[in-house]
Amino acid sequence: MLAKVEKKLDHYYYHQFMGAVLYGVILAIALNYFWKPGHIYSSGFTGLAQLIDTLTDGRISVSWGIAAANLPLLVIAAFKLSRRFAIFTALAVALSALFVPVFATKTVLTPDPLICAIFGGGLNGMAVGTALRCGVGTGGLDIIGMLFKLKFHTKVGSVNLAFNALIMIGAGLTYGWQYALYSIIGVVVSAHFIDVFYKQQQQVQEMIVTDRPEEMCEHIQRKMRRGVTIIDAAHGGYTGKNKSVVLTVVTQHELPDLREAIHEVDKHAFYSESKVDHTGGRFFEPEP
């Protein structure tokens, strides 16, 4: 039994380590091959590090800017969130700072700022989404968002928007306002790709119509740590038979497990899924 637990933990930490490595490599490629040649700024603390590098004429490089800006937040995350999360986030930040100069190049794939914004943003979104999917934070606004959610039970969208607006203004003042607009395009593309690769934060409501509600409820709760509500006395309009409706909310990432649980209990159950914009009450959030 102990060997199985150790194997599972090793597997979990392996995924976190690989997530941190992939984040560092992909971010460095996006920065060196697309953002720099296209004069495009990223969002968040990476964009802040780019702005510092520009304003200091390279005396404070992007690598040092990434490391220095994230250091105090990593210390706070270790005490307020979890040490494991802080350690792997620090690893992701350190590797990104390390790989930026390693992947430095004079090769210009294209000088077109629009192409650079789209492909750089896409790579950045893939890097961040993959890291988050592996349980690794990327520092900066990710940590601020988690701290706000933990303290105030709310998202930090306005803070993110204000912070990134300052970065875009910096891009406009530095390279010209057309580059600020290109940078905004890159941020939008990045946000879309984060949603594509990281589905844990996307919630889905599942409605299940079955004649085995108690068994369905017990199986879902045993297989997944999710609450279930049973609505009795439903009536089938076509069959005329009495049914029960089982409601639960899961993350997009958990949908395959939920569908499997439904099939294991009742192969003939009807179920439908709908996107959830907000949940209140005690929705289980795993420790970061």
Side-chain angles (χ1 to χ4, degrees):
M1 180 66 180
L2 184 60
K4 288 184 178 180
V5 173
E6 289 177 350
K7 184 177 180 180
K8 186 176 181 180
L9 287 174
D10 289 343
H11 182 71
Y12 180 68
Y13 288 133
Y14 169 77
H15 273 79
Q16 287 193 308
F17 176 77
M18 290 306 300
V21 172
L22 285 173
Y23 170 74
V25 170
I26 298 174
L27 178 70
I29 292 174
L31 181 67
N32 287 296
Y33 284 88
F34 294 102
W35 288 336
K36 280 187 176 179
H39 302 306
I40 304 300
Y41 278 139
S42 174
S43 60
F45 277 34
T46 303
L48 176 63
Q50 290 177 267
L51 186 58
I52 292 173
D53 176 75
T54 302
L55 295 176
T56 60
D57 292 324
R59 289 190 294 273
I60 301 178
S61 66
V62 173
S63 295
W64 283 108
I66 291 174
N70 280 286
L71 182 59
L73 286 175
L74 290 170
V75 174
I76 295 172
F79 289 98
K80 296 294 185 179
L81 297 175
S82 76
R83 291 186 180 181
R84 186 191 70 228
F85 173 79
I87 289 171
F88 280 102
T89 301
L91 178 63
V93 170
L95 289 174
S96 62
L98 175 66
F99 287 142
V100 165
V102 169
F103 282 86
T105 179
K106 294 182 179 179
T107 301
V108 177
L109 297 179
T110 175
D112 189 324
L114 180 58
I115 295 177
C116 289
I118 293 173
F119 279 87
L123 285 172
N124 181 64
M126 183 172 67
V128 174
T130 301
L132 293 174
R133 189 168 184 172
C134 293
V136 179
T138 57
L141 296 179
D142 287 348
I143 296 177
I144 293 175
M146 289 181 179
L147 290 171
F148 264 71
K149 190 171 184 179
L150 181 67
K151 182 70 175 177
F152 304 107
H153 304 285
T154 184
K155 294 183 179 179
V156 67
S158 57
V159 176
N160 286 359
L161 184 62
F163 188 92
N164 290 326
L166 292 176
I167 301 299
M168 298 306 108
I169 291 172
L173 293 173
T174 305
Y175 295 122
W177 294 109
Q178 71 271 28
Y179 291 101
L181 298 177
Y182 287 132
S183 296
I184 292 172
I185 293 173
V187 171
V188 172
V189 172
S190 178
H192 173 71
F193 272 80
I194 291 174
D195 287 339
V196 170
F197 281 86
Y198 180 55
K199 298 181 178 180
Q200 277 86 337
Q201 86 283 14
Q202 300 172 22
Q203 298 174 356
V204 176
Q205 177 177 277
E206 193 87 3
M207 184 184 74
I208 310 160
V209 180
T210 179
D211 52 9
R212 305 170 70 179
E214 299 295 341
E215 193 176 342
M216 184 72 71
C217 176
E218 181 182 351
H219 194 63
I220 291 174
Q221 289 177 336
R222 184 172 64 249
K223 194 177 184 72
M224 309 165 65
R225 190 175 175 179
R226 290 299 172 200
V228 179
T229 299
I230 300 175
I231 303 175
D232 291 318
H235 190 74
Y238 177 74
T239 63
K241 295 180 179 180
N242 291 329
K243 296 280 186 177
S244 294
V245 178
V246 177
L247 295 177
T248 187
V249 176
V250 300
T251 64
Q252 185 82 24
H253 182 67
E254 294 171 315
L255 273 181
D257 290 335
L258 179 59
R259 291 167 182 165
E260 183 180 345
I262 295 170
H263 186 75
E264 289 171 352
V265 175
D266 186 358
K267 295 181 180 179
H268 302 291
F270 171 83
Y271 61 91
S272 63
E273 297 156 0
S274 56
K275 183 181 177 182
V276 175
D277 292 324
H278 177 73
T279 55
R282 294 185 294 177
F283 184 79
F284 171 69
E285 295 281 1
E287 184 186 69

